[in-house]
Amino acid sequence: MVVVNITGALAGSQFEPSIAVNTLNPNIMCVVAVDTSTGPTLTGFYRSINGGSTWTTTVLPQPAGYAGAEAPTIDYTFPNTFIVTVHLFNGINDGTIASYTSFDDGLTWQPPVIVQAGFGTIVHNDEPFIAVDRSPGSPYRGHAYVGYTPLATTSSAIFTQRSVSQGISWDPPDRQSNPRGIHDRAALAVGFSGQVYAGYIITGPASPSALLRISYDGGITYQPPLERQATFISSVVPAPSPLPVPNYAFRVQTNLSLGADISVGPNSGTVYAVWNDARAGYTDVLLSESPDGLLWSDPISITGAPPGTQNFFRRLPYHPLREQLELFITPIE
C-alpha cells in the first residue's frame, strides 16, 4: 500500500486529523485537521475522489468573531453528507462548538452553524466529537450527535447535542455526566439499531473509570438516568502526562474511544471501547467489548508492544468495507 502525504506541500503544521469515507463510494475520502498553513490556527479540509491517491487541500471558512479553531472531527452519512465539528476560540478566552455540513461529498459547504456558544473561561466548551447515524438498521439514520466538554476551573462534564437536520440546526444540550468530575473528551458511537453510545472517562477526583450511557430513542433520552451511576466499562489508571519518554514531552490525555459494528457480519451489534492505561507501569492501549453496551469484558492489551514502551493516540473507527474495526495506535520507546 502506497503512503500518501496529504499535506506535504503545505506550509505550517497540520495535526489532530480525523477522516471519514463515503460508504456508498469509498473513493471519496474527507479529512480535517488543525491547519496553520495560512498563518492562523484554522480547520484544514482535505478531499480525495480517487481512494486517497491524490488530494485537494483548503481551509474551512472561519465564523466572524473567532480567532481560530482546533480539535476538528468529521463523519459521514448517506448519501453524500459529511459533517464537521470544531472548537472555536478567541485566544484562550472563548470555547464555542461549531459545525459544517456538506451535502455533495465535500465539494461545497454550508455556512458554519454555532452548536453551543462559549463564554470565556466561565463556560469553555472543548474537545468536540461528531458521530452520524449511517446504520442500515436504524430508524434514526441521518441523525448527527456531538459530544463535548464544558470546562470549569477545577471540574468538567460531558455534554451531548443532536441534530435531526444533518447539522443545519441542533437541539439543546444534554448533560451525560456528573458536573463535578474531571473529564477530557466525550466518546460517541452509533449502533446497528440506532443506539447512541455516549461514553467518557472520569479521571478524578477519585476512582478513575470508563463509563457509558445509552440512548435507544435517537438521542432524546439516555439510560441509566443521570441521577444514577452510568454503566461501568472498566477501572482506569490514567497515563502520566507528559509521558516519561527521553527527549520528548508528549501531552497525553486518558480518553475513551468507542466503536460499534453496524455490519451484517457475525459480530454485528458488538460495541468496543479502547483507551490508554498505565496499570502495567507504562502506558498501553486496552480494549473491552460488549454485546449490548451493558455487560463488558475484562480489558486486554491489544498492542503486542514490548513492556516499558509508551502506547497512545488510540482510535477505533469502523471500516464499512471490511466489516471490522481498525485500531490506530502510536507506540514509542
Side-chain angles (χ1 to χ4, degrees):
M1 180 179 178
V2 177
V3 176
V4 177
N5 190 335
I6 297 174
T7 61
L10 298 179
S13 300
Q14 294 78 39
F15 51 94
E16 295 185 352
S18 176
I19 187 170
V21 180
N22 184 322
T23 306
L24 302 177
N25 182 1
N27 284 319
I28 298 173
M29 310 171 72
C30 295
V31 173
V32 290
V34 179
D35 192 309
T36 65
S37 60
T38 60
T41 304
L42 300 176
T43 302
F45 174 67
Y46 324 111
R47 179 174 182 259
S48 175
I49 59 174
N50 56 14
S53 296
T54 60
W55 295 80
T56 57
T57 62
T58 187
V59 292
L60 296 179
Q62 188 80 350
Y66 294 95
E70 65 171 357
T73 58
I74 188 170
D75 206 2
Y76 160 84
T77 191
F78 305 115
N80 310 109
T81 299
F82 287 84
I83 305 176
V84 174
T85 57
V86 299
H87 166 217
L88 303 175
F89 58 87
N90 294 309
I92 62 171
N93 296 317
D94 204 347
T96 290
I97 307 301
S99 68
Y100 301 80
T101 300
S102 173
F103 294 111
D104 55 9
D105 284 325
L107 186 63
T108 62
W109 291 87
Q110 302 295 309
V113 173
I114 300 301
V115 179
Q116 190 65 209
F119 299 96
T121 57
I122 304 303
V123 180
H124 190 93
N125 303 304
D126 200 8
E127 298 283 6
F129 187 89
I130 182 75
V132 186
D133 189 336
R134 59 178 177 273
S135 173
S138 172
Y140 311 108
R141 194 165 52 247
H143 283 195
Y145 308 92
V146 61
Y148 55 92
T149 311
L151 301 176
T153 52
T154 59
S155 61
S156 56
I158 299 297
F159 279 62
T160 58
Q161 290 182 237
R162 73 164 189 167
S163 173
V164 299
S165 59
Q166 298 187 339
I168 300 304
S169 63
W170 293 86
D171 290 351
D174 189 352
R175 180 164 57 85
Q176 300 295 339
S177 70
N178 187 320
R180 301 184 187 279
I182 301 173
H183 312 79
D184 281 324
R185 190 170 197 165
L188 295 175
V190 181
F192 184 84
S193 300
Q195 308 95 321
V196 184
Y197 300 103
Y200 55 91
I201 287 177
I202 181 168
T203 57
S207 303
S209 55
L211 301 169
L212 183 74
R213 297 182 73 216
I214 307 172
S215 175
Y216 299 100
D217 55 10
I220 298 175
T221 61
Y222 286 82
Q223 303 297 325
L226 190 55
E227 63 269 17
R228 292 169 48 195
Q229 179 73 12
T231 298
F232 180 79
I233 298 176
S234 173
S235 61
V236 173
V237 177
S241 186
L243 284 179
V245 179
N247 303 316
Y248 292 92
F250 285 103
R251 170 179 173 262
V252 176
Q253 296 176 326
T254 299
N255 292 340
L256 186 68
S257 184
L258 296 172
D261 191 331
I262 59 172
S263 74
V264 294
N267 297 314
S268 179
T270 302
V271 190
Y272 302 88
V274 294
W275 66 96
N276 41 274
D277 192 292
R279 68 184 61 190
Y282 57 93
T283 303
D284 203 358
V285 177
L286 304 185
L287 176 143
S288 291
E289 63 180 88
S290 170
D292 53 12
L294 300 176
L295 298 174
W296 289 85
S297 65
D298 291 336
I300 61 171
S301 169
I302 44 76
T303 61
T309 59
Q310 305 294 342
N311 306 271
F312 53 101
F313 290 168
R314 75 288 155 274
R315 286 293 302 277
L316 233 175
Y318 173 69
H319 196 301
L321 295 184
R322 298 179 184 173
E323 297 184 352
Q324 65 183 21
L325 295 157
E326 296 180 339
L327 288 159
F328 294 93
I329 304 162
T330 302
I332 190 165
E333 298 183 7

